[in-house]
Amino acid sequence: MDPGFPPEDIAPIAILMDELRSEDVQLRLNAIHSIPTIALALGSDRARDELIPFLQDSVDDEDEVLLALAEELGRNFQEYIGGKEYAHVLLGPLENLCSVEETLVRDKAAESVTQIATVLSQAQLEGYYIPLVKRLSSGEWFTSRTSSASLYSAVYARVSPTIQEDLRKGFTALSIDDTPMVRRAAAKWLGPLLTHLSQNHLLSDGLPIYRRLQSDDQDSVRLLTIEDLIILAQRMSPVEVKEQLLKQIRNSIVDKSWRVRYMAASHFNELAEAVGAELVREELIGHYVQLLKDNEAEVRTAAAGQIPGFSKLLDKEVVLARIVPCVRDLSQDSSQHVRAALASQISGLAPLLGSSSTIEHLLPLFLHLLKDDFPEVRLNIISKLETVNTVIGIELLSDSLLPAIVELAEDKSWRVRQAIIEYIPLLANQLGKPFFDEQLGNLCMSWLGDTVYSIREAATVNLKKLTEVFGVEWARIAIVPKVMGMGQHHNYLFRMTTVQAITTITPSLDLDIVRADIIGPLLVLANDPIPNIRFNVAKSLEVLAMTYKSTKEGRDLIQQQVIPALEQQRNDQDADVRYFAARALHKAQ
């Protein structure tokens, strides 16, 4: 540093140096996060000449500090060093970070390099970025070669044909590297590069690279080629796919490693859409059935998740003949995770099969899965019943599934009970009032006394939705008397539920019902011995005031009954009651 600088100019960089030498990691982290401020204080020239070289030498630190540095340099840091014409200066420290041992740091540094590439000019790319890629690609340590794989696709389309050829050769070298980690990075980043290759180079360079990686002896490399395969198939015609990729498609789906088969199963729909209808019919149906019957539960789970998406590409008769038998087997699968995956997807088959086939083939499976021992399976079936309902109609659905739903309403898993509650308004809307009152009315009220708070809360929201479905007169007869009756229960939780139910359903009721049936018992609870109930009454009165103060009758009710009660609560011995009463008073006036 030039000794001619005034002390106050030297200070920012000196402070940074001191803090980065500190033994306290948090202090060093804070120092890194403050480098934009320091760069501003130094000015763009000194930031380039002093700060960047200093940061370039600061790679011997804790991983979290280096990660923060890689992140900061990628956040438009060129703005602090004179703008985009100097952005290439940032590549120096990032090149060092691309070679460190910690994967997270290398990945973040490579990401920042590609972000900087977007603002570089053609001359900067060819003068600084491409040499950096070549240095990293031929680095002695595998860490730098691994990082380089992600840098090719970012600039391939922006450089001259000669440099493009060099980049293709460089990437080919990475795909045959001795180190599996480098080949893995090549497999991961081949897909983005393939999207930029011309059609000729796709076949002359991209395809051989893919084939080599797909036949790699490491399954961790092979599993990453599934996404490359999909991109290749998307860019080729069905005839080319059949000629060039059929062997690789087969190999990936029947790979000896379950991890590769799992990846193939997870991306099966994308692959099927990419290869075209003819190949789906001739080849993929058989392979998909194989995956659904795989020895490994993880593969069957992934394949089950693709059932509706893949079935959309097939004729109804083929689905019935080939897919439905597999679905039947999966519903009895020994793995609960497979059954859960099936339960979340099986309803998607109903629109494809139509009413009669759904009734014949799927309805028995729904009933079977609704009685599964594993709560998640039951939950997944319940949450997707709406799709089935639109296909077969509520009457048949209620006849066949209602007994099972009533049974699940008392399920030992509270999450299953909650899912049933959330499904009730939809069911009510389609069942109609008389049927609902007869079959499910008492059930809905019983949830208000559940031992789990989340269920009681969901039950009050459910009552509000039912009021919106059936109207306020129904609520006056079916809900309000039962809810208000619980307000006299000796157990305070029941009284609390009454107050919370009133708070929730009041906006859906009319003023006559509030005046006749609700306000009196609610004001009694304003003097309850339990403070929690008293302050919840204040909250309820606040909602009531906000709902009805727009009409004259509502304002009269508020003046005559709500405000006096809140005035009384404002002097309560409990601080929370006083707070909520004061807040309610403020909004009520």
Side-chain angles (χ1 to χ4, degrees):
M1 199 179 292
D2 191 328
F5 283 126
E8 64 271 18
D9 285 354
I10 299 169
I13 197 101
I15 291 168
L16 178 67
M17 286 175 174
D18 285 346
E19 289 187 343
L20 283 177
R21 290 190 189 107
S22 164
E23 289 183 15
D24 183 350
V25 176
Q26 191 57 50
L27 201 59
R28 299 204 300 276
L29 259 180
N30 294 343
I32 290 296
H33 285 304
S34 68
I35 59 171
T37 315
I38 290 166
L40 273 175
L42 287 170
S44 55
D45 291 346
R46 289 187 61 204
R48 280 197 311 277
D49 298 341
E50 298 169 34
L51 180 61
I52 299 300
F54 173 70
L55 293 174
Q56 193 160 340
D57 297 333
S58 301
V59 289
D60 188 19
D61 205 332
E62 298 284 339
D63 293 334
E64 56 189 311
V65 177
L66 298 181
L67 181 64
L69 176 58
E71 203 171 338
E72 288 295 340
L73 292 176
R75 283 185 179 157
N76 296 322
F77 200 80
Q78 66 273 9
E79 303 300 330
Y80 302 107
I81 59 167
K84 58 174 76 171
E85 61 266 35
Y86 296 104
H88 62 272
V89 174
L90 299 173
L91 297 177
L94 286 169
E95 181 177 350
N96 291 349
L97 292 171
C98 281
S99 304
V100 300
E101 201 172 333
E102 173 54 45
T103 309
L104 280 175
V105 177
R106 292 202 311 271
D107 288 351
K108 181 53 75 176
E111 185 188 319
S112 293
V113 169
T114 55
Q115 282 168 348
I116 290 165
T118 60
V119 301
L120 294 178
S121 66
Q122 184 81 17
Q124 285 173 310
L125 282 177
E126 295 183 8
Y128 300 98
Y129 187 96
I130 299 299
L132 174 145
V133 173
K134 288 179 178 175
R135 284 195 300 275
L136 288 174
S137 298
S138 56
E140 186 182 347
W141 293 97
F142 79 89
T143 50
S144 66
R145 302 199 299 277
T146 304
S147 298
S148 71
S150 65
L151 306 181
Y152 283 78
S153 59
V155 297
Y156 183 86
R158 294 175 55 201
V159 294
S160 65
T162 315
I163 293 175
Q164 285 184 346
E165 190 179 342
D166 289 345
L167 289 177
R168 291 195 301 277
K169 285 177 182 170
F171 203 89
T172 302
L174 294 178
S175 72
I176 54 174
D177 196 277
D178 293 338
T179 312
M181 282 77 86
V182 178
R183 300 199 301 276
R184 198 181 309 156
K188 179 181 176 184
W189 291 102
L190 174 60
L193 182 62
L194 291 172
T195 59
H196 297 296
L197 296 182
S198 68
Q199 208 60 31
N200 288 341
H201 291 139
L202 187 77
L203 296 173
S204 65
D205 296 89
L207 190 59
I209 294 173
Y210 161 71
R211 283 178 173 160
R212 268 194 300 276
L213 292 168
Q214 196 279 323
S215 57
D216 198 276
D217 58 352
Q218 297 280 326
D219 66 349
S220 61
V221 175
R222 296 198 304 276
L223 68 86
L224 291 168
T225 62
I226 300 294
E227 292 178 47
D228 304 332
L229 169 61
I230 292 164
I231 290 169
L232 275 171
Q234 285 167 341
R235 293 207 53 198
M236 289 181 177
S237 67
V239 176
E240 285 175 322
V241 170
K242 203 168 180 179
E243 286 173 5
Q244 307 285 359
L245 292 176
L246 193 53
K247 181 186 172 190
Q248 282 74 29
I249 291 171
R250 287 172 180 161
N251 290 348
S252 293
I253 293 169
V254 298
D255 197 281
K256 62 181 184 287
S257 164
W258 72 266
R259 293 163 70 200
V260 179
R261 299 197 305 276
Y262 171 83
M263 282 296 279
S266 301
H267 293 84
F268 206 85
N269 290 349
E270 293 168 73
L271 180 61
E273 284 167 13
V275 300
E278 188 185 340
L279 213 56
V280 168
R281 273 197 310 277
E282 292 173 10
E283 284 282 336
L284 292 196
I285 295 172
H287 290 311
Y288 185 59
V289 168
Q290 259 181 293
L291 291 171
L292 288 172
K293 295 180 175 178
D294 198 273
N295 295 333
E296 294 292 334
E298 285 86 351
V299 178
R300 297 196 301 277
T301 302
Q306 307 282 304
I307 286 172
F310 184 64
S311 299
K312 279 177 193 166
L313 306 173
L314 309 175
D315 296 332
K316 179 181 166 183
E317 293 69 29
V318 179
V319 176
L320 285 169
R322 304 292 300 275
I323 305 297
V324 169
C326 295
V327 169
R328 206 172 287 124
D329 293 342
L330 291 174
S331 71
Q332 313 269 355
D333 199 277
S334 57
S335 164
Q336 61 196 33
H337 302 294
V338 175
R339 299 196 306 275
L342 176 70
S344 68
Q345 298 294 336
I346 188 172
S347 59
L349 284 174
L352 305 175
L353 295 181
S355 179
S356 59
S357 297
T358 298
I359 292 163
E360 183 185 345
H361 298 287
L362 298 185
L363 206 53
L365 301 181
F366 291 141
L367 283 168
H368 174 73
L369 291 167
L370 269 174
K371 293 172 183 166
D372 197 282
D373 292 337
F374 188 50
E376 195 180 339
V377 178
R378 305 194 294 269
L379 196 61
N380 289 350
I381 278 285
I382 296 156
S383 57
K384 299 290 175 72
L385 280 178
E386 191 177 350
T387 318
V388 185
N389 172 32
T390 55
V391 177
I392 66 171
I394 193 67
E395 207 167 300
L396 187 66
L397 188 67
S398 60
D399 284 353
S400 52
L401 297 182
L402 203 58
I405 285 172
V406 171
E407 196 178 317
L408 287 173
E410 294 163 359
D411 195 276
K412 59 182 178 289
S413 165
W414 68 267
R415 291 183 195 278
V416 174
R417 298 201 299 276
Q418 189 172 24
I420 287 285
I421 293 173
E422 285 164 6
Y423 180 63
I424 288 290
L426 172 79
L427 205 59
N429 199 13
Q430 291 147 345
L431 286 172
K433 213 182 297 183
F435 190 91
F436 179 85
D437 284 344
E438 182 188 332
Q439 299 282 347
L440 296 172
N442 289 333
L443 190 62
C444 287
M445 297 310 299
S446 70
W447 283 319
L448 290 170
D450 197 279
T451 51
V452 177
Y453 172 75
S454 293
I455 299 297
R456 297 197 299 275
E457 185 182 36
T460 60
V461 174
N462 177 46
L463 293 181
K464 180 181 190 292
K465 288 178 181 171
L466 289 173
T467 302
E468 288 161 4
V469 171
F470 291 145
V472 290
E473 271 312 307
W474 174 84
R476 181 201 284 269
I477 297 160
I479 292 181
V480 173
K482 292 175 181 172
V483 169
M484 301 320 292
M486 288 171 65
Q488 295 159 22
H489 200 281
H490 62 87
N491 185 329
Y492 89 96
L493 286 175
F494 284 83
R495 302 199 299 278
M496 177 76 87
T497 303
T498 293
V499 178
Q500 287 171 334
I502 291 168
T503 309
T504 306
I505 65 174
T506 292
S508 300
L509 300 174
D510 61 31
L511 188 60
D512 291 341
I513 297 177
V514 172
R515 210 165 22 208
D517 302 310
I518 289 177
I519 192 72
L522 185 62
L523 294 179
V524 170
L525 289 168
N527 297 310
D528 196 275
I530 305 292
N532 275 18
I533 291 177
R534 296 201 300 278
F535 77 65
N536 272 288
V537 168
K539 286 183 183 178
S540 191
L541 290 171
E542 179 184 324
V543 170
L544 202 140
M546 296 297 289
T547 307
Y548 298 111
K549 71 178 184 181
S550 56
T551 65
K552 184 182 182 305
E553 294 90 339
R555 285 194 295 276
D556 290 345
L557 177 75
I558 293 163
Q559 287 298 332
Q560 291 161 18
Q561 294 187 274
V562 173
I563 288 178
L566 290 171
E567 290 284 7
Q568 185 185 337
Q569 281 196 323
R570 197 160 62 168
N571 300 316
D572 196 279
Q573 61 194 27
D574 185 272
D576 289 331
V577 178
R578 293 197 299 275
Y579 168 75
F580 285 109
R583 192 181 76 174
L585 262 174
H586 176 69
K587 291 190 179 178
Q589 285 167 340

